């Protein structure tokens, strides 16, 4: 069962937040190498905002790499879907849309790839839905989607009213970092 919130406490130094590895093993490996070798950011200060698996070719390998890396991982809608064995990404696409068709096709592929990898599915299902931390006197919350729903899209064009509503969901939080 997933924890609702994982609190990292007070962090010191640069924090790297990224998301959407999307089954792209080579990109994930390159980012982790960059963080370690050039940016000198340890795994304890790296947060993945969810969606380890999605539409690239190596869902199992990417998930295993992310898990082994030691970075903090958040449950995205893809982890939620794979963790419980859903047939799609859980984005709520209209049934007659191309996105829904792609999601159904791809999830058939990913579930086949995850045969014999129940440990990865269990790991995905156990990820927290929110990660919080403090940095430089500010309190941050990292969510996938929005504080209201794991698959809600918050676009750059979102109104100030919508953004205020999201912040109101999390009293005591100064900033929200959304994945998805």
């Amino acid at each position: 069962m997933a924890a609702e919130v994982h609190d990292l406490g007070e962090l010191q130094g640069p924090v790297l937040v990224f998301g959407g590895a999307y089954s792209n093993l080579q990109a994930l490996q390159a980012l982790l190498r960059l963080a370690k070798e050039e940016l000198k950011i340890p795994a304890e200060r790296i947060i993945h905002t969810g969606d380890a698996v999605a539409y690239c070719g190596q869902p199992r390998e990417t998930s295993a790499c992310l898990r082994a890396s030691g970075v903090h991982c958040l449950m995205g809608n893809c982890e939620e879907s794979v963790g419980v064995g859903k047939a799609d990404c859980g984005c709520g696409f209209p049934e007659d849309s191309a996105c829904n068709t792609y999601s159904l096709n791809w999830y058939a592929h990913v579930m086949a790839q995850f045969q014999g990898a129940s440990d990865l599915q269990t790991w995905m299902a156990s990820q927290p839905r929110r990660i919080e931390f403090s940095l430089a006197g500010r309190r941050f919350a990292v969510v996938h989607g929005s504080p209201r729903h794991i698959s809600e899209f918050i676009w750059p064009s979102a109104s100030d009213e919508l953004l205020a509503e999201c912040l109101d969901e999390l009293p005591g939080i100064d900033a929200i970092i959304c994945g998805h």
Side-chain angles (χ1 to χ4, degrees), residues 66-82:
L66 191 58
R67 180 182 183 188
S69 73
V71 305
H72 300 285
C73 295
L74 187 67
M75 180 188 286
N77 54 287
C78 291
E79 286 82 7
E80 182 181 60
S81 290
V82 171

Side-chain angles (χ1 to χ4, degrees), residues 154-177:
I154 303 294
W155 303 105
S157 59
S159 69
D160 289 345
E161 182 180 301
L162 173 65
L163 297 174
E165 287 173 14
C166 286
L167 199 53
D168 288 346
E169 292 280 326
L170 302 172
I173 296 295
D174 298 305
I176 302 170
I177 302 168

Side-chain angles (χ1 to χ4, degrees), residues 122-140:
T122 300
W123 173 73
M124 287 184 169
S126 72
Q127 297 309 300
R129 293 177 177 271
R130 186 169 76 237
I131 295 175
E132 295 183 2
F133 64 93
S134 296
L135 179 70
R138 303 264 188 221
R139 191 78 180 144
F140 293 83

Side-chain angles (χ1 to χ4, degrees), residues 105-146:
N105 288 336
W106 192 82
Y107 270 79
H109 166 73
V110 78
M111 295 315 282
Q113 293 292 308
F114 272 67
Q115 290 295 318
S118 61
D119 61 319
L120 286 174
Q121 288 178 269
T122 300
W123 173 73
M124 287 184 169
S126 72
Q127 297 309 300
R129 293 177 177 271
R130 186 169 76 237
I131 295 175
E132 295 183 2
F133 64 93
S134 296
L135 179 70
R138 303 264 188 221
R139 191 78 180 144
F140 293 83
V142 184
V143 297
H144 187 84
S146 81

